[in-house]
Amino acid sequence: MPPSNRLLEFAIAATAIILLPGPSVLFTIARAVSWGRRIAVATVVGNNLGSLLTATLVAIGIGPLLQHSIFVYIAIQVAGGLYLVWLGIGAWRHRAAHANQMLNAGEVAPSIRRTIREGFLVGLLNPKSFVFFAAIFPQFVDRSRGVVSQMLVLAVIFALIAFVSDSTWGILAGTARGWLASSPGRLVILRSIGSSVMIGLGLFIVITVRRG
């Protein structure tokens, strides 16, 4: 179990990050705008299961390295932060194109099973998720304890917060789908906010690297 003070810090940071329209939120909103609330929530279920598995693999894969090497511990945080900045810049540059893609998902809604499966694959195979977890989790663990078990606890907490938040986004977007679809500019604003958050998060990680 992570130290209580870092656990609280993580819960606050995770909630702030998840509430803002990042990649998973935008993916859910795209589904909600195209096919409504039911498909949006199913997408969230699949996406969070995939992300939880990714977080588990990250914990098992890099946890021992983080515990035994201060160099790896610092390097992963810096590299992950810089990569998030790079992804954020790319998302900002292509925000208009991404908004248009969100409005062109197709006319026929997929089945719930297919939606969950697709959401799971997106959450599992998205390299951004791997980098995100690898960059964020080390900030909130104590290297003198079992790092893998601490990271697994953080993964579960993150998944629970993400499920509640993303489902809320999906339900709201599904309810207001006509309003969002009527103006791509509104989706561009959401994409702009999400990319700005990603850049800011990456810079924050680089500037405030933990050393133990």
Side-chain angles (χ1 to χ4, degrees), residues 11-116:
I12 295 173
T15 301
I17 293 166
I18 293 169
L19 282 175
L20 292 169
S24 62
V25 169
L26 294 173
F27 178 59
T28 300
I29 290 175
R31 288 298 183 88
V33 170
S34 297
W35 297 309
R37 292 170 292 188
R38 186 163 170 263
I39 294 298
V41 174
T43 298
V44 171
V45 172
N47 187 259
N48 276 270
L49 288 174
S51 295
L52 180 59
L53 180 54
T54 297
T56 300
L57 295 175
V58 169
I60 295 173
I62 72 171
L65 293 176
L66 297 176
Q67 187 159 2
H68 295 99
S69 173
I70 185 63
F71 173 77
V72 173
Y73 182 73
I74 294 174
I76 285 180
Q77 293 178 75
V78 173
L82 292 175
Y83 186 59
L84 287 175
V85 171
W86 183 76
L87 290 175
I89 293 173
W92 177 271
R93 291 177 56 196
H94 303 291
R95 59 192 185 281
H98 292 165
N100 288 328
Q101 291 173 8
M102 291 169 68
L103 295 175
N104 295 311
E107 297 181 357
V108 180
S111 66
I112 295 297
R113 178 179 295 182
R114 178 184 169 187
T115 298
I116 294 175

Side-chain angles (χ1 to χ4, degrees), residues 30 64 104 187 191 208:
N104 295 311
L187 296 175
R191 190 57 172 157
T208 62

Side-chain angles (χ1 to χ4, degrees), residues 171-189:
I171 292 171
L172 291 175
T175 302
R177 58 191 298 200
W179 180 78
L180 287 170
S182 65
S183 175
R186 291 163 183 158
L187 296 175
V188 171
I189 292 173

Side-chain angles (χ1 to χ4, degrees), residues 8 36 50 71 91 136:
L8 179 59
F71 173 77
I136 293 295

Side-chain angles (χ1 to χ4, degrees), residues 71-167:
F71 173 77
V72 173
Y73 182 73
I74 294 174
I76 285 180
Q77 293 178 75
V78 173
L82 292 175
Y83 186 59
L84 287 175
V85 171
W86 183 76
L87 290 175
I89 293 173
W92 177 271
R93 291 177 56 196
H94 303 291
R95 59 192 185 281
H98 292 165
N100 288 328
Q101 291 173 8
M102 291 169 68
L103 295 175
N104 295 311
E107 297 181 357
V108 180
S111 66
I112 295 297
R113 178 179 295 182
R114 178 184 169 187
T115 298
I116 294 175
R117 182 174 67 249
E118 290 176 346
F120 175 82
L121 291 175
V122 169
L124 176 64
L125 301 178
N126 187 355
K128 299 176 185 178
S129 297
F130 179 88
V131 174
F132 178 82
F133 293 131
I136 293 295
F137 285 2
Q139 301 270 325
F140 301 97
V141 299
D142 184 348
R143 290 182 60 250
S144 65
R145 304 185 184 185
V147 171
V148 174
S149 60
Q150 291 181 72
M151 293 179 71
L152 289 175
V153 171
L154 296 179
V156 172
I157 293 173
F158 190 91
L160 291 174
I161 296 173
F163 176 77
V164 173
S165 175
D166 291 357
S167 295

